Amino acid sequence: MRASKSIVIKLILVIMLSCTVIFSITLSYNYYRSSVILEKELENNARNLALSLVNRVEAELLSVSKVADGMSRTLEICRYDKQNIHSLIKTTVEQNPSIYGSTIAFEPYAFNKTRRFYAPYYFRDKGTIQFKPLEESYNYLQYIYWDWYQIPRELGRSEWSEPYFDEGGGNILMTTYSVPFYEVHDGKKRLKGVVSADIGLESLTKLISSVKILKSGYASLYSRTGMVLAHPLKEAIMNETIFNIAEERKDPLLREFGKKMLTGESGFVHFKSLTGIKSWIYYAPIRSTGWTLTVVFPETELLENVRKLSLTMAGIGITGIIFLTLTVAFIASSITKPLRQLAAATQVVASGNFEVALPDVHTKDEVGILTNAFQMMTKSLKEYIRNLTETTAAKERIQSELKVAADIQLSLLPRIFPPFPDHNDFDIFALMDPAKEVGGDFYDFFFIDRDKLCFLIADVSDKGVPAALYMMVTKTLLKSEGQRLGDPDIILSSVNNILAVDDDSCMFATVFLAVLDLKNGEVRFANAGHNPPVLVKEHEVKCLSLHTGFVIGPMPDSCYKTEKITLSPGDILFLYTDGVTEAKNYEEMLFGEKRLIESLNKAPTDSVKEMIYSIRENVRIFSQDCSQSDDITMLAIKYNGPDETK
Amino acid sequence: MSLSRLKRIESYSSPILLVIFVQLFLLFASVPTSVFAQARPKKATLITLWVPQAQFAGYYVAIDKGIYLKHGIDLKILRSGAGYNTFQTLKNGQADFAVLWLVTALKERSAGSKLVNISQTVQRSSMMLISKKTSGINRLEDMKGKKIGLWEGDLAIPARTLFTKYGINFREVRQSQTVNLFLRGGIDVASAMWYNEYHVVLNSGIDADQLNTIFLDKLGMKFPEDGIYTMEKTLKSDPELVDEFAKASLEGWRYAFDHPDEALDIVMKYMHRDEVPANRSHQRWMLLRIKDLMMTNGEPGRFGILQKDDYDAVCKVMFREGLIKHYTEYSNFFKGTHAGK
């Protein structure tokens, strides 16, 4: 259940995150591009707005300056008297609504020799044209020291004055266009005076102040010294220059901006406006006066529409992503529903119940294929388990039968020790530890006659049931032939010939067979490919060197040789199969003859039983818990000397 | 109110009345002796050299902070500026006190008006000659033959003295109250007060490093400027008033320097009242420069005092230049007993 949930969650997460990332990038790019486009468009708009304002101001200024220029030319060309002068000035003011006031101001004694100062001034006052003699009305500073007179006089060219309050003259805030005029006397050009025409600042600044840009944008006007002429900051007008403001705000950037602005160039900059709002500012010069006009577009208001659009888009996007998420969740869960059912069913299957019904899937998609495959698998598993159950039952039966066979086999070997309690002249002990349930080794001993004991040890090739059967046949043959024939070589030859006939199984056995004469300790023996026995004397333990002989069983007419040794009383003959010397430990080392001899050297010799147990223990210690690969069979016989009692 | 009279009141007053009288007594005791001596402050008038601006911050601050009142003076500062004659106002008795330049005072005294200095505020000349670096005037000698703007009257005395001393011939152009003629290149060199026109030029978009400046003071023109003056007869008739006025004025100055923002608020208020173009950054600059000029860096004990050396030097120069016919002893001229403390 959790697995299917995590698939749904993973799907939702991945799809939602991807969508969000893609959407965010798209939205950001859109915002950025829109801003850039807007900015470009804005620059054009700002330029157009600024230039149209500049043109209107310039037109106004030009209409004034042209008139003054004309007056000055007239004065230079024509002769004039007091009356002419008055009517010229008065008519000029009357006919030019842009002109607030005008004067023709003369150099000292230039008008006539008796009048030091002469500057008749006509100006508008409440709709009428008024007259004022400036030489008298300026009550503390003679007109020749006013900027409007002094600057063109000293520079010898027409100039627009800085805006000023004409106290004593026009008594308004104005800017004055002044043109020096000359007379040529004896070929020398001599300054006669200055013609001036005033323009009220109010009408100009009104024009600028009336411009409203968005909510808080504005147009502003600065004089050539940076004096604020028109600006929403009313208290700064005619009081502060942009540089004063920069100083008061400790803003060197503003000072730099002000300097740049007043160079007479135009430009478009992103800057904090004087009202403290990040804005786009276009500035352009008003060439005739050297003023600067700026239009200020507040950035936030400018980008408001873009931001609104972006917000709407973001809203739509988020709704879309939520919708997408829900859809994905629905589809994912409907896809994983059969999977979930299958998972639930398989859990039941896993617990061992193959009878559970798998969900019905009719689709041909992966889930359908998976369900079909699972159905097949369940069926196969059911079949397999049934077979396995049967096989296991069969195997169990065979194993129990083998166990019985092993018991029977063991029971065939003499297992009662001492076997001949009435014989003191020898001790005999033997044991066999089969490697599998049914082994191939065997031993036997029996009397051939009263004094002759035949004993043997044998190892049938292979193991298991065939070996056991072969062993039984061989053992029976050896006993019957041994009791009948008496001589070891003849016994082996006879048994070999019997076994070799009709031997299709290609089995064979190694046999060591010996006959002990209890009267004199003489042992006559023959070997058929078996390990040589070990003779344990009081101070010496050694393998018998003997004729190897060929194994019995595979080939008829093999020849064997009877050899003999004589045992002294106390001597022990130790017979064993290769299960002893070939016992392995974990390092794959063999127990070996050398270790066997050493073990026999240390083993107790009083009791053959003890001796064999001791060897068995040594082999067990050597091989630790390594599984036994071959039957281990040992037989020891100790000759005690002839029994005098018999 | 004498103690004996208090006792008489006490004899027939209720305990509550007694408490009130004791409290009143304590209240009066906490007021400075001058007020205590005369319950009603004396009316007095002051005329400054020019319209309200930080150049006169100390006086406006002393009024607004009640410092004159504390010293028993109900002061009124008369209007001044273009068209007003400060000295004449003092001379004809319309004003009890006036802020005047030392050279003006010496000239008028030589001309027969008995006026005395009761405190010398501006210790040294604030006059500068400024030129644009582009005009290539790097030294005084370079000014020979150039168009130089000089103000009318006494304000030009230090500069004229300097040019005479160094034998500089130049073309004089009378300079108005604006610096526009200089900014537009109508004159090569302009007169400027360190605390005023120089800053106006800087705030017209010209950087300090675009200007060459010559301080007259640095060329040996030791002309102390603003000082507080009164007529000798005022001093004789009411020495206490004169003394308290000088004290209160200097206290006002100290307060202004210690509280520049408050002082600027006060000055700006008076500028708005008189409808004078008011510009806080300019006034701040002016207040700080006036402080420099009054405190004469590193020379303690000069605050408000006209130095005898300075006085003698200015008298000698002016006499030599023919600006004055005679001059009086330092002790007859400077009566600032409380200054410098």
Side-chain angles (χ1 to χ4, degrees):
Chain A
M1 203 56 200
R2 187 188 292 171
S4 69
K5 249 184 200 165
S6 79
I7 287 176
V8 175
I9 288 169
K10 267 184 209 160
L11 263 176
I12 291 173
L13 275 180
V14 168
I15 291 174
M16 211 178 70
L17 280 177
S18 313
C19 284
T20 309
V21 168
I22 293 167
F23 180 67
S24 305
I25 292 170
T26 313
L27 195 66
S28 311
Y29 181 73
N30 179 60
Y31 185 83
Y32 168 74
R33 284 304 301 173
S34 304
S35 317
V36 170
I37 292 166
L38 207 69
E39 201 179 294
K40 265 191 188 152
E41 207 162 296
L42 170 71
E43 189 174 352
N44 288 333
N45 286 346
R47 184 190 296 118
N48 292 340
L49 177 62
L51 292 186
S52 85
L53 285 171
V54 164
N55 287 339
R56 284 167 75 181
V57 174
E58 287 276 26
E60 194 88 338
L61 296 170
L62 200 67
S63 69
V64 173
S65 62
K66 265 187 177 166
V67 172
D69 287 335
M71 281 167 78
S72 131
R73 269 197 301 280
T74 309
L75 291 169
E76 282 178 357
I77 298 162
C78 307
R79 294 182 62 82
Y80 45 79
D81 57 17
K82 194 175 164 181
Q83 209 182 341
N84 289 345
I85 295 274
H86 276 262
S87 76
L88 175 63
I89 303 169
K90 195 178 174 189
T91 323
T92 302
V93 176
E94 267 173 353
Q95 289 179 352
N96 294 283
S98 300
I99 295 178
Y100 173 78
S102 176
T103 185
I104 297 169
F106 286 88
E107 279 283 281
Y109 304 109
F111 181 64
N112 65 41
K113 296 275 184 274
T114 56
R115 273 194 106 123
R116 189 173 174 206
F117 298 116
Y118 186 56
Y121 179 60
Y122 282 89
F123 64 104
R124 287 167 202 286
D125 187 23
K126 292 167 193 143
T128 59
I129 309 295
Q130 300 285 327
F131 166 74
K132 227 180 214 180
L134 283 185
E135 66 272 21
E136 288 163 20
S137 67
Y138 281 143
N139 46 15
Y140 58 91
L141 188 68
Q142 199 41 260
Y143 68 80
I144 59 164
Y145 302 123
W146 282 71
D147 279 350
W148 63 262
Y149 189 93
Q150 216 175 12
I151 291 171
R153 179 186 191 273
E154 295 302 328
L155 293 176
R157 60 165 190 255
S158 59
E159 280 279 313
W160 279 97
S161 74
E162 276 291 297
Y164 65 107
F165 187 80
D166 192 33
E167 196 180 346
N171 282 320
I172 60 157
L173 205 56
M174 60 168 67
T175 179
T176 300
Y177 180 75
S178 319
V179 197
F181 63 96
Y182 303 86
E183 70 171 359
V184 182
H185 200 74
D186 301 335
K188 265 178 92 180
K189 202 176 165 190
R190 203 175 63 186
L191 182 74
K192 284 282 278 182
V194 168
V195 175
S196 83
D198 309 325
I199 183 164
L201 213 58
E202 204 187 331
S203 61
L204 293 180
T205 54
K206 246 186 198 163
L207 172 69
I208 306 299
S209 305
S210 68
V211 174
K212 291 274 174 280
I213 299 166
L214 301 171
K215 271 184 223 153
S216 63
Y218 57 89
S220 58
L221 192 63
Y222 301 90
S223 81
R224 89 165 59 191
T225 61
M227 180 63 75
V228 181
L229 302 181
H231 201 281
L233 288 176
K234 295 268 176 261
E235 65 273 21
I237 293 172
M238 286 309 289
N239 277 336
E240 292 181 81
T241 65
I242 193 167
F243 307 107
N244 283 125
I245 295 169
E247 186 180 285
E248 193 65 9
R249 292 184 184 173
K250 297 186 174 65
D251 185 354
L253 286 177
L254 181 60
R255 183 178 172 91
E256 284 312 303
F257 173 61
K259 282 173 71 177
K260 201 170 141 195
M261 211 173 69
L262 297 178
T263 50
E265 288 164 14
S266 52
F268 187 60
V269 290
H270 190 230
F271 203 75
K272 205 159 94 177
S273 74
L274 288 190
T275 47
I277 299 165
K278 275 252 169 213
S279 306
W280 284 101
I281 301 176
Y282 190 88
Y283 57 92
I286 293 173
R287 300 230 175 263
S288 47
T289 49
W291 298 346
T292 300
L293 183 130
T294 69
V295 285
V296 177
F297 290 77
E299 191 186 24
T300 45
E301 289 167 28
L302 206 65
L303 294 176
E304 200 167 73
N305 281 336
V306 178
R307 208 173 38 243
K308 269 185 191 162
L309 178 71
S310 298
L311 278 178
T312 313
M313 280 172 70
I316 294 171
I318 288 165
T319 316
I321 288 174
I322 290 170
F323 177 71
L324 191 68
T325 308
L326 291 176
T327 313
V328 168
F330 175 73
I331 291 174
S333 77
S334 74
I335 288 176
T336 53
K337 191 182 165 195
L339 269 181
R340 279 204 303 277
Q341 289 171 340
L342 190 61
T346 52
Q347 250 172 354
V348 179
V349 172
S351 67
N353 182 1
F354 294 99
E355 299 309 321
V356 71
L358 290 176
D360 267 349
V361 176
H362 306 293
T363 56
K364 291 218 178 350
D365 60 6
E366 288 85 345
V367 180
I369 295 169
L370 182 65
T371 312
N372 281 338
F374 212 84
Q375 235 152 9
M376 293 294 292
M377 192 185 84
T378 318
K379 215 184 266 175
S380 305
L381 263 177
K382 245 192 303 193
E383 189 80 6
Y384 174 75
I385 285 171
R386 207 184 61 233
N387 286 345
L388 191 68
T389 317
E390 281 171 12
T391 315
T392 309
K395 195 184 168 192
E396 270 170 10
R397 202 177 62 240
I398 290 167
Q399 269 184 336
S400 72
E401 281 167 11
L402 273 175
K403 182 89 179 77
V404 173
D407 289 347
I408 294 169
Q409 189 195 17
L410 266 182
S411 70
L412 291 177
L413 300 181
R415 280 189 300 168
I416 300 160
F417 292 99
F420 313 107
D422 53 333
H423 275 274
N424 297 325
D425 38 5
F426 72 99
D427 289 327
I428 192 162
F429 186 80
L431 65 77
M432 186 185 81
D433 292 328
K436 290 184 181 172
E437 282 80 358
V438 188
D441 287 11
F442 65 92
Y443 61 85
D444 205 0
F445 46 85
F446 48 84
F447 276 101
I448 295 171
D449 55 33
R450 234 175 54 106
D451 299 318
K452 288 194 175 102
L453 178 75
C454 180
F455 57 96
L456 60 99
I457 190 160
D459 182 359
V460 178
S461 66
D462 204 354
K463 290 170 185 72
V465 175
L469 291 174
Y470 197 81
M471 165 249 177
M472 260 192 278
V473 172
T474 312
K475 180 177 176 289
T476 312
L477 282 176
L478 280 170
K479 189 164 185 176
S480 64
E481 289 302 293
Q483 279 171 336
R484 190 171 64 92
L485 297 171
D487 282 323
D489 55 336
I490 298 167
I491 295 168
L492 290 179
S493 299
S494 171
V495 171
N496 179 50
N497 286 339
I498 295 168
L499 285 174
V501 178
D502 305 326
D503 182 19
D504 299 329
S505 62
C506 285
M507 295 187 79
F508 61 91
T510 63
V511 184
F512 176 84
L513 186 141
V515 177
L516 169 66
D517 190 338
L518 295 171
K519 289 190 305 242
N520 53 13
E522 186 190 76
V523 179
R524 296 170 65 239
F525 56 89
N527 191 17
H530 201 81
N531 306 44
V534 183
L535 178 62
V536 181
K537 283 176 152 322
E538 200 176 348
H539 299 295
E540 191 186 21
V541 175
K542 63 166 188 187
C543 286
L544 285 184
S545 58
L546 41 69
H547 189 80
T548 313
F550 193 68
V551 293
I552 58 170
M555 220 163 68
D557 301 327
S558 294
C559 278
Y560 302 95
K561 188 179 174 186
T562 296
E563 291 168 277
K564 65 177 180 185
I565 54 162
T566 303
L567 299 178
S568 305
D571 287 356
I572 297 170
L573 205 54
F574 177 81
L575 284 63
Y576 63 97
T577 57
D578 54 5
V580 176
T581 49
E582 286 168 16
K584 281 179 190 165
N585 66 4
Y586 283 114
E587 283 110 51
E588 295 281 307
M589 279 167 64
L590 299 178
F591 186 70
E593 270 179 33
K594 202 179 158 200
R595 254 188 215 94
L596 177 65
I597 302 289
E598 277 169 20
S599 302
L600 285 171
N601 251 327
K602 289 172 192 157
T605 50
D606 291 343
S607 157
V608 284
K609 186 180 174 183
E610 291 299 316
M611 175 186 245
I612 282 179
Y613 279 156
S614 152
I615 301 303
R616 183 159 81 166
E617 183 64 12
N618 280 348
V619 172
R620 200 184 58 76
I621 289 168
F622 173 77
S623 61
Q624 290 149 339
D625 290 327
C626 251
S627 69
Q628 189 185 328
S629 62
D630 202 355
D631 300 342
I632 291 174
T633 309
M634 290 176 282
L635 184 147
I637 184 160
K638 184 178 180 184
Y639 178 63
N640 295 330
D643 189 354
E644 302 300 335
T645 60
K646 289 182 184 169
Chain B
M1 202 179 280
S2 68
L3 264 178
S4 61
R5 201 176 152 206
L6 260 179
K7 272 178 189 157
R8 256 188 290 134
I9 294 166
E10 194 186 328
S11 62
Y12 54 79
S13 62
S14 69
I16 292 166
L17 265 176
L18 175 72
V19 170
I20 291 169
F21 273 102
V22 169
Q23 281 181 346
L24 273 175
F25 176 80
L26 289 172
L27 187 73
F28 273 78
S30 66
V31 173
T33 48
S34 56
V35 178
F36 196 67
Q38 31 175 211
R40 289 183 58 185
K42 286 180 191 168
K43 284 197 182 297
T45 46
L46 166 73
I47 183 160
T48 58
L49 270 167
W50 198 245
V51 293
Q53 55 182 2
Q55 185 185 356
F56 315 113
Y59 315 109
Y60 291 103
V61 167
I63 284 196
D64 267 40
K65 300 307 292 179
I67 295 169
Y68 285 122
L69 264 184
K70 199 175 80 182
H71 286 267
I73 303 166
D74 177 9
L75 185 76
K76 185 169 185 252
I77 300 180
L78 302 176
R79 264 198 100 122
S80 185
Y84 292 88
N85 189 319
T86 306
F87 169 70
Q88 280 303 326
T89 313
L90 176 71
K91 189 186 173 189
N92 64 26
Q94 281 172 288
D96 302 311
F97 303 98
V99 177
L100 291 171
W101 264 30
L102 179 59
V103 287
T104 309
L106 287 173
K107 266 174 72 182
E108 299 301 347
R109 188 156 179 127
S110 163
S113 299
K114 297 279 181 193
L115 75 174
V116 289
N117 182 316
I118 58 169
S119 188
Q120 182 63 35
T121 51
V122 175
Q123 293 288 325
R124 56 187 167 93
S125 175
S126 68
M127 287 282 304
M128 305 165 78
L129 293 168
I130 58 176
S131 60
K132 290 176 189 161
K133 278 212 169 132
T134 49
S135 61
I137 298 167
N138 299 318
R139 294 165 304 143
L140 192 62
E141 290 74 52
D142 297 336
M143 292 187 187
K144 276 179 183 165
K146 298 285 182 187
K147 274 161 92 174
I148 297 177
L150 290 181
W151 286 302
E152 191 193 23
D154 299 343
L155 294 183
I157 290 174
R160 282 186 209 285
T161 311
L162 178 79
F163 290 130
T164 310
K165 184 179 169 187
Y166 288 92
I168 311 276
N169 295 313
F170 59 98
R171 199 191 133 192
E172 182 181 335
V173 175
R174 186 170 156 190
Q175 193 170 317
S176 70
Q177 292 133 26
T178 75
V179 291
N180 294 326
L181 187 62
F182 169 69
L183 291 175
R184 299 213 189 173
I187 47 177
D188 302 306
V189 179
S191 300
M193 305 279 192
W194 184 32
Y195 56 78
N196 196 350
E197 287 79 8
Y198 176 61
H199 188 247
V200 174
V201 170
L202 294 184
N203 275 341
S204 298
I206 295 177
D207 291 340
D209 59 15
Q210 293 176 301
L211 292 171
N212 279 328
T213 56
I214 292 172
F215 276 92
L216 267 53
D217 179 61
K218 297 224 172 95
L219 292 177
M221 297 295 106
K222 302 287 178 195
F223 285 96
E225 293 175 352
D226 298 11
I228 309 173
Y229 292 86
T230 188
M231 300 308 289
E232 228 168 44
K233 63 173 191 269
T234 313
L235 179 64
K236 272 184 188 142
S237 68
D238 196 346
E240 195 188 17
L241 172 70
V242 172
D243 194 38
E244 291 298 332
F245 181 80
K247 265 202 280 187
S249 300
L250 292 178
E251 199 179 322
W253 273 116
R254 282 197 190 91
Y255 188 91
F257 294 149
D258 290 344
H259 307 86
D261 283 312
E262 195 181 351
L264 288 176
D265 289 341
I266 293 168
V267 170
M268 294 285 281
K269 187 182 86 182
Y270 282 97
M271 294 179 85
H272 289 308
R273 186 198 68 181
D274 290 1
E275 292 175 328
V276 176
N279 173 330
R280 197 178 173 89
S281 78
H282 186 54
Q283 295 305 317
R284 184 187 301 281
W285 168 275
M286 190 179 284
L287 182 67
L288 292 176
R289 297 296 81 77
I290 289 287
K291 184 182 178 184
D292 293 339
L293 294 166
M294 283 177 70
M295 294 304 198
T296 59
N297 312 341
E299 289 178 74
R302 294 187 67 150
F303 187 66
I305 289 182
L306 175 62
Q307 299 296 309
K308 188 171 183 306
D309 292 352
D310 289 346
Y311 174 77
D312 291 342
V314 173
C315 288
K316 268 179 203 153
V317 167
M318 288 183 73
F319 184 75
R320 197 172 61 220
E321 296 291 319
L323 293 164
I324 52 175
K325 293 185 191 70
H326 49 79
Y327 52 92
T328 184
E329 280 290 306
Y330 169 75
S331 56
N332 294 333
F333 185 77
F334 182 65
K335 300 290 185 186
T337 48
H338 284 275
K341 289 172 189 167

